[in-house]
Amino acid sequence: MIIHVDMDAFYASVEERDRPELVGRAVVVGGSADGRGVVAAANYAARTFGIHSAMPAAQAYRLCPQAVFLPPRIKYYADVSRKIRHIFERYTPLVEPLSLDEAFMDARASERLFGSSESIARQIKNDILTELGLVASVGVAPNKFLAKLASDFDKPNGFVVIHEQDIQPFLDPLPVQRLWGVGRVGARVFDELGIHTVGQLRQRSKNWLCGRFGKFGEHLWQLAHGRDERTVVPDRQAKSISHETTFEHDIDDVNVLKSNLLTMTEQVAYRLRQAQLRARTVSLKLRYADFHTLTRAHTLEQPTHATDALWATANRLLDQRLLPLSAPVRLVGVGVSALESTQTNQTDLFAQARDIRRQDVDRLSDDISARFGRGALRRGRTLKP
Amino acid sequence: MKFKVQRENLLKPLQLVSGVVERRQTLPVLSNLLLSAEADKISLTGTDLEVELVAELKTSVDEAGEITIPARKLLDICRTLPEGAQLEIVVTGDKAQLKSGRSRFSLSTLPASEFPSVDEIHGMRQFEIGQGELRRLIERTHFCMAQQDVRYYLNGLMFEIEGQSLRSVATDGHRLAMSDLVTSADVGENQQVIVPRKGIQELARLLVDDDERVQIHLGNNHIRLQLPGLRFTSKLIDGRFPDYQRVLPKGGNKLLTAECAQLKQALIRTSILSNEKYRGVRLQLDNGRLRILAHNPEQEEAEEELEVEYQGDELEIGFNVTYLLDAINAIVGDKVTISLSDANSSCLIQEPAEGSSKYVVMPMRL
């Protein structure tokens, strides 16, 4: 069984834990309400006012002026996250963090030591509460896809186990957009086809789905049957780092596309630098509204973690190998692979002065992000007109 | 085809030619040697599509012909036959029969027409130099070649010819080696060629350290060397070698001179406790004194101190110890000079009297 642990309103809960006077009040962590900041996290009290993460802070303020607005302390949350991870690692080395507040674990090999995966999951949830005073929602299921659905099913403070025989009864009534890869727009496509639930999707044949959505159809068919072959990959062995986003509305403006790609490239580059890695290969993924999906990759002569260098490559891949767009785009993603450690500190003979300047810019921007939160300093292109 | 040959005459050329044949092959015929017999000589050819080696030897041929036979097996049979053995090879149908004394072998063959031959060589120019001279150019620089780098043009040794100068340069992006040779005859206009790593390794095995001349033919896409009884051909790497002149340090105002043997021993001892993967050591320079320090992830530490010629400001700089040792090993003479400028800039390693070879090593950040 795979375990998925998702911290409830993580940033906000950490703040509440440290400042008991906040308990019971709506707490919003994020950029300032008078600027252009966005909500990074909102506690459940705030969510009852309709506030959710990624909402402009100004809008959150309008919804609930009496909420407590706090600037994020990312470094501190990362520390807490590390402590949570240490708890996971008591039970298994197979921990795959997805972000600061979420991780997959595969504890099957530890069952003889600590009991069933289900009981390990309970111990983890309990350890997090008693040692760190934080509440987690936990899902236990035969694979990653189901484990993540399970942890989300009874949030907050959930604990949901899906056994083999419960898979279809659990999945069938869920709305199709709960399938990984189907967003709000995808759901609309299914709506038109008269498919609203996973169960209805499952009634369709694999051939029908593949004919309609290509490879993605195969993926949907597998998920609808509760199948997911992905294994838990511990972070330190990461082979690639990627970000992708599904647009709320399909995009046909190349500039909007590029602005989103740049934002994701910044995030990928930031994660590379945090992990002390450089990448040689940059890849782009583009999914059209009809789910036709293209990927293109380019391998660089020298590995890099410079945002500028990665962006130049991603931008060129888009310009030369994916444009012009043949239809509106529903998803774009950028990823890097062929990773190498930077810990050698060996300097390069042919490094250009430009590379050194890039490093300075990145270091500065990382410092600013660490201090003021991601998005505090942004490249001009990523700002929407 | 039918010929006789003395084991000792065949063994040496067979070993050389088989060396080119790669163990793992995509094309079956590439694990074979091309064997051709005519009049009073036979020739053996091995290739991996990049490097080709042809050996010729005189022997009595009863019937001319061409065929390919498995390289490794033929070599193993020859090696293990007794000294002084006489071999007879006869090709009948699709089998090659090998007889020697009471031993009999029947080897499979593939037709000679399937054996790939080098494309025709265009734009040829020629010159001659001593085998020993060419060997030294390779020996002093080859260790800096990159290995399977995506910058494919670094996976080889660059030769630059101009007038009476022949220069070899190799770099893996972290360090660079360069060696110069003044030739007796004018070799012509400026040209740079990059010989792939495998070709260089083969050449290093073929060349002997003496004054015997070697004829070099340079085409647009090939280099060919004619040696006594051997013809070596290699494709050239089609790419532009980086501007190495630009990375030769010029402003090195801190000069360190040390005894080669002493410095080498100190570095070797210190390296034992450096990080096994990254091999970093720290050099601390002060008036007349060099300290070398290393530590590893197990928190073990090594420290060496030696007297050197050094006058200048204090300096602390890190290097990959393997890079330093490779360069010092290639230095001829008892002393070595290292010019430095600061902790972030490369150093230049050479013989004190500005010898024919130069080594540039980039530092590691401490």
Side-chain angles (χ1 to χ4, degrees):
Chain A
M1 300 282 264
I2 304 294
I3 303 169
H4 181 253
V5 176
D6 193 358
M7 302 303 296
D8 296 331
F10 182 53
Y11 298 173
S13 302
V14 171
E15 297 295 350
E16 265 183 64
R17 175 193 74 175
D18 292 0
R19 303 150 88 161
E21 72 273 16
L22 295 178
V23 174
R25 300 187 60 185
V27 178
V28 175
V29 177
S32 68
D34 43 353
R36 301 181 50 105
V38 295
V39 174
N43 70 355
Y44 287 89
R47 289 184 200 189
T48 57
F49 292 92
I51 297 172
H52 56 80
S53 53
M55 169 184 281
Q59 191 186 341
Y61 182 77
R62 278 197 300 276
L63 288 169
C64 181
Q66 70 273 31
V68 183
F69 287 82
L70 299 170
R73 298 185 287 164
I74 303 288
K75 242 192 190 139
Y76 178 61
Y77 307 143
D79 279 345
V80 179
S81 177
R82 246 191 308 280
K83 287 184 184 140
I84 298 172
R85 184 165 173 167
H86 289 319
I87 293 178
F88 298 157
E89 284 171 348
R90 285 176 202 163
Y91 299 97
T92 172
L94 290 179
V95 178
E96 179 181 341
L98 297 178
S99 60
L100 288 182
D101 60 351
E102 219 187 315
F104 283 116
M105 268 151 281
D106 180 347
R108 283 174 297 182
S110 314
E111 291 189 344
R112 290 179 60 159
L113 284 171
F114 301 109
S116 68
S117 290
E118 185 178 336
S119 103
I120 291 173
R122 273 211 190 280
Q123 293 172 61
I124 288 172
K125 183 170 158 65
N126 194 47
D127 288 356
I128 294 174
L129 182 65
T130 53
E131 293 173 34
L132 302 173
L134 293 168
V135 178
S137 286
V138 178
V140 186
N143 59 47
K144 281 167 111 173
F145 161 63
L146 292 169
K148 194 168 158 105
L149 282 182
S151 71
D152 194 51
F153 191 73
D154 198 17
K155 231 174 180 338
N157 200 12
F159 188 90
V160 174
V161 182
I162 305 176
H163 293 287
E164 202 70 51
Q165 68 273 15
D166 303 332
I167 295 177
Q168 290 311 339
F170 176 82
L171 274 180
D172 284 352
L174 294 179
V176 274
Q177 60 258 52
R178 300 306 297 275
L179 296 182
W180 158 53
V182 183
R184 212 178 303 177
V185 187
R188 218 175 296 145
V189 175
F190 284 112
D191 244 11
E192 285 160 20
L193 293 163
I195 298 173
H196 310 287
T197 66
V198 176
Q200 286 166 335
L201 180 74
R202 191 162 63 87
Q203 301 305 320
R204 303 293 179 140
S205 74
K206 193 177 282 191
N207 280 342
W208 184 86
L209 281 166
C210 288
R212 194 115 198 146
F213 302 107
K215 239 174 136 185
F216 184 64
E218 158 91 31
H219 163 82
L220 287 176
W221 188 85
Q222 298 284 359
L223 292 184
H225 286 79
R227 293 176 205 167
D228 178 13
E229 302 283 317
R230 293 172 302 156
T231 52
V232 171
V233 185
D235 203 22
R236 68 199 85 171
Q237 293 163 21
K239 293 250 163 59
S240 65
I241 295 176
S242 62
H243 273 266
E244 57 180 53
T245 188
T246 303
F247 300 116
E248 201 156 320
H249 305 287
D250 293 342
I251 298 291
D252 50 14
D253 181 340
V254 173
N255 283 320
V256 176
L257 204 62
K258 286 196 171 183
S259 140
N260 276 283
L261 265 181
L262 176 52
T263 306
M264 287 186 281
T265 307
E266 284 181 321
Q267 287 163 3
V268 166
Y270 177 78
R271 283 176 61 192
L272 268 178
R273 294 190 291 268
Q274 292 304 304
Q276 295 192 297
L277 293 169
R278 286 179 218 267
R280 262 194 206 282
T281 304
V282 180
S283 51
L284 275 196
K285 177 171 169 186
L286 191 141
R287 177 170 292 157
Y288 285 118
D290 63 356
F291 286 90
H292 185 58
T293 307
L294 301 169
T295 55
R296 296 289 181 267
H298 179 75
T299 297
L300 297 161
E301 292 202 336
Q302 303 199 34
T304 182
H305 53 207
T307 303
D308 260 7
L310 294 170
W311 168 241
T313 311
N315 193 25
R316 200 163 24 172
L317 272 176
L318 185 72
D319 282 344
Q320 295 178 356
R321 307 200 29 212
L322 288 166
L323 292 184
L325 298 174
S326 63
V329 175
R330 62 173 276 118
L331 172 151
V332 285
V334 61
V336 292
S337 53
L339 309 180
E340 292 176 12
S341 169
T342 55
Q343 283 165 353
T344 69
N345 286 324
Q346 174 67 54
T347 53
D348 199 279
L349 266 173
F350 303 107
Q352 310 275 349
R354 190 188 58 190
D355 299 337
I356 294 159
R357 274 204 310 278
R358 278 172 171 169
Q359 280 177 18
D360 291 343
V361 171
D362 286 337
R363 200 171 306 129
L364 190 68
S365 116
D366 290 353
D367 286 349
I368 291 174
S369 297
R371 211 163 140 194
F372 301 105
R374 191 176 289 163
L377 180 73
R378 297 172 67 182
R379 280 177 163 71
R381 174 145 213 172
T382 66
L383 295 171
K384 311 229 162 43
Chain B
M1 183 165 78
K2 185 175 175 185
F3 64 88
K4 290 192 188 68
V5 65
Q6 181 85 25
R7 172 184 177 267
E8 279 61 40
N9 293 345
L10 182 62
L11 194 55
K12 180 82 196 301
L14 187 57
Q15 274 169 336
L16 288 174
V17 171
S18 305
V20 178
V21 177
E22 292 281 347
R23 269 170 199 270
R24 287 170 184 276
Q25 281 304 346
T26 43
L27 217 58
V29 75
L30 291 179
S31 52
N32 283 9
L33 293 179
L34 174 67
L35 200 58
S36 42
E38 54 173 301
D40 59 344
K41 62 179 185 186
I42 58 166
S43 76
L44 307 161
T45 307
T47 183
D48 69 344
L49 296 178
E50 193 173 62
V51 177
E52 180 200 81
L53 195 59
V54 186
E56 249 183 27
L57 58 144
K58 297 256 186 252
T59 193
S60 66
V61 174
D62 296 330
E63 195 191 315
E66 274 194 319
I67 196 76
T68 79
I69 54 179
R72 192 77 223 166
K73 289 169 189 155
L74 180 62
L75 175 62
D76 286 346
I77 291 169
C78 276
R79 252 185 337 121
T80 49
L81 281 172
E83 255 177 68
Q86 185 79 23
L87 281 77
E88 188 188 51
I89 296 180
V90 184
V91 178
T92 44
D94 60 354
K95 293 283 185 219
Q97 314 291 336
L98 192 156
K99 284 188 266 186
S100 177
R102 294 209 214 153
S103 311
R104 297 273 182 288
F105 306 88
S106 174
L107 291 164
S108 64
T109 65
L110 285 169
S113 56
E114 284 183 24
F115 197 79
S117 57
V118 176
D119 317 330
E120 210 178 317
I121 301 181
H122 296 286
M124 195 89 101
R125 63 204 274 191
Q126 286 184 35
F127 56 92
E128 259 190 22
I129 59 168
Q131 279 203 42
E133 292 177 314
L134 180 58
R135 191 187 154 99
R136 277 192 291 284
L137 276 184
I138 293 175
E139 273 177 352
R140 292 193 184 174
T141 50
H142 75 100
F143 52 86
C144 284
M145 290 187 289
Q147 227 176 109
Q148 295 181 328
D149 200 293
V150 277
R151 294 167 288 181
Y152 57 94
Y153 46 80
L154 298 186
N155 301 324
L157 190 69
M158 192 274 278
F159 289 104
E160 183 174 50
I161 55 177
E162 181 161 35
Q164 277 182 275
S165 140
L166 178 60
R167 169 177 285 171
S168 61
V169 186
T171 177
D172 60 9
H174 296 150
R175 55 183 171 155
L176 178 142
M178 175 177 116
S179 191
D180 282 319
L181 174 71
V182 179
T183 58
S184 47
D186 196 311
V187 289
E189 276 172 38
N190 181 287
Q191 187 183 354
Q192 288 191 349
V193 298
I194 310 169
V195 182
R197 195 182 166 83
K198 162 128 184 197
I200 291 298
Q201 282 165 341
E202 286 302 318
L203 265 185
R205 295 200 309 145
L206 300 179
L207 296 167
V208 289
D209 198 6
D210 63 21
D211 294 339
E212 186 137 16
R213 309 301 280 174
V214 50
Q215 228 182 44
I216 301 178
H217 305 257
L218 226 45
N220 292 337
N221 304 306
H222 294 87
I223 183 171
R224 174 167 286 174
L225 273 77
Q226 191 66 55
L227 295 150
L230 278 175
R231 193 187 72 189
F232 164 94
T233 312
S234 169
K235 279 192 182 163
L236 296 174
I237 293 178
D238 182 19
R240 262 175 63 91
F241 202 75
D243 181 6
Y244 65 91
Q245 299 276 8
R246 194 174 57 80
V247 299
L248 297 174
K250 287 168 193 79
N253 55 353
K254 300 187 174 65
L255 239 57
L256 152 77
T257 303
E259 300 281 344
C260 267
Q262 211 190 358
L263 178 59
K264 198 166 114 184
Q265 292 310 319
L267 285 170
I268 290 173
R269 283 191 297 268
T270 324
S271 73
I272 298 169
L273 298 187
S274 72
N275 184 313
E276 278 172 39
K277 195 161 165 214
Y278 306 127
R279 310 281 291 158
V281 294
R282 184 185 293 253
L283 308 189
Q284 288 174 348
L285 275 161
D286 202 349
N287 265 345
R289 197 181 60 161
L290 167 66
R291 294 209 309 157
I292 310 169
L293 303 113
H295 64 88
N296 61 18
E298 290 85 51
Q299 306 301 322
E300 297 165 311
E301 292 176 349
E303 190 181 322
E304 287 275 344
E305 191 173 309
L306 60 159
E307 278 170 27
V308 294
E309 293 169 37
Y310 179 77
Q311 270 119 31
D313 297 338
E314 280 181 34
L315 176 68
E316 178 165 317
I317 185 167
F319 286 108
N320 179 326
V321 67
T322 312
Y323 296 169
L324 295 181
L325 281 168
D326 281 346
I328 295 166
N329 276 327
I331 291 282
V332 188
D334 303 336
K335 290 197 169 185
V336 54
T337 296
I338 305 179
S339 335
L340 301 134
S341 50
D342 59 59
N344 300 315
S345 308
S346 61
C347 73
L348 180 69
I349 303 176
Q350 58 190 335
E351 287 135 29
E354 292 233 357
S356 58
S357 306
K358 287 184 164 70
Y359 303 94
V360 182
V361 182
M362 283 302 283
M364 287 173 89
R365 275 186 290 272
L366 295 173

